[in-house]
Amino acid sequence: AIQMTQSPSSLSASVGDRVTIACRASQGIRNDLGWYQQKPGKAPDLLIYAASTLQSGVPSRFSGSGSGTDFTLTISSLQPEDVATYYCLQDYSYPFTFGQGTKLEIK
Amino acid sequence: EVQLVESGGGLVQPGGSLRLSCEASGFTLRSFSMNWVRQAPGQGLEWISVIEKITDGKYYADSVKGRFTVSRDSGRNSLYLHMDNLRVDDTAVYYCARDLRPTDLQEAFDIWGQGTMVTVSS
């Protein structure tokens, strides 16, 4: 199975900061990667698919980039409502695999 | 409203069986690939199964292969996960998720249920 490694595992930043979360695949996965946001006690929400396509209704401060093995989720200006855990998911081949998550907090 | 509602979770002993249901409303479940994802208490997300649209292809994570079976009932517009030989480490919230599949080469889990809790304990 393809291993997905996210970094950092936790992150504290101030409102208005630019935040970057990285995800690395153990082998090339083209651009077959999604990013999901999960708030405590809730189901995950889709933010980005195909590495860089913003899901309808998601604020434009979220963006994704990358291809092959290295991917990045960026929040251009952190807002209080962005406190959550973020996961990448490779959907290149079965079994699909998630990264271990990045917990984002406000400083 | 487009939504998914899971049910069927509960407490079961190790070695026991359980069937989870995921009822879709606002869309035809048969027209989409559907996935199961679980989350153990305090842990991350784990993809565990898919049933693909059209082909009915079924795939599983190694951790559940041979013990779990995914299926669907078009008449009831519902997805199921039959779980046998349950283990303590199967304890988790189980979510069903729709794959929007914006193009044939893209996956996007755009609709999720609220989750149902399965506890495996003696």
Side-chain angles (χ1 to χ4, degrees):
Chain A
I2 298 173
Q3 306 298 317
M4 304 301 295
T5 303
Q6 272 184 247
S7 60
S9 56
S10 64
L11 176 57
S12 182
S14 300
V15 172
D17 281 355
R18 182 181 183 89
V19 170
T20 298
I21 298 170
C23 186
R24 173 166 287 178
S26 59
Q27 67 182 72
I29 59 170
R30 300 182 308 201
N31 68 336
D32 294 333
L33 184 112
W35 289 97
Y36 295 81
Q37 176 193 65
Q38 187 180 34
K39 297 183 178 180
K42 300 294 186 181
D45 287 319
L46 173 66
L47 296 175
I48 286 167
Y49 62 91
S52 60
T53 302
L54 196 67
Q55 168 67 350
S56 175
V58 174
S60 59
R61 62 180 181 274
F62 291 93
S63 65
S65 65
S67 183
T69 60
D70 292 298
F71 303 85
T72 300
L73 172 70
T74 299
I75 307 173
S76 60
S77 178
L78 185 65
Q79 300 302 304
E81 60 267 31
D82 299 336
V83 169
T85 300
Y86 294 83
Y87 295 91
C88 61
L89 170 67
Q90 72 80 14
D91 50 58
Y92 173 78
S93 67
Y94 296 125
F96 291 168
T97 43
F98 285 93
Q100 78 276 19
T102 295
K103 186 173 183 179
L104 176 57
E105 298 175 330
I106 299 290
K107 196 180 292 182
Chain B
E1 182 187 3
V2 174
Q3 66 175 355
L4 295 167
V5 178
E6 298 100 336
S7 60
L11 175 63
V12 61
Q13 292 188 337
S17 297
L18 207 58
R19 189 183 80 159
L20 306 182
S21 300
C22 169
E23 183 174 3
S25 57
F27 71 98
T28 301
L29 188 140
R30 184 82 172 84
S31 299
F32 296 85
S33 294
M34 296 297 298
N35 296 262
W36 286 98
V37 173
R38 70 182 180 182
Q39 186 169 36
Q43 302 302 309
L45 301 171
E46 179 187 15
W47 178 90
I48 58 171
S49 183
V50 64
I51 181 167
E52 293 191 323
K53 68 175 183 178
I54 301 175
T55 67
D56 273 357
K58 301 173 185 179
Y59 300 88
Y60 302 91
D62 289 346
S63 58
V64 305
K65 195 177 298 182
R67 300 187 299 122
F68 290 11
T69 303
V70 63
S71 63
R72 63 182 162 213
D73 182 333
S74 296
R76 297 180 185 272
N77 211 30
S78 292
L79 175 74
Y80 303 100
L81 186 68
H82 189 86
M83 305 184 293
D84 288 324
N85 193 20
L86 282 160
R87 308 188 303 220
V88 171
D89 62 359
D90 293 319
T91 295
V93 174
Y94 285 74
Y95 297 100
C96 57
R98 184 181 83 168
D99 184 351
L100 179 61
R101 198 161 278 186
T103 73
D104 285 345
L105 295 178
Q106 294 177 334
E107 321 285 341
F109 294 4
D110 69 324
I111 304 294
W112 295 66
Q114 84 287 355
T116 187
M117 182 71 203
V118 173
T119 303
V120 185
S121 175
S122 54

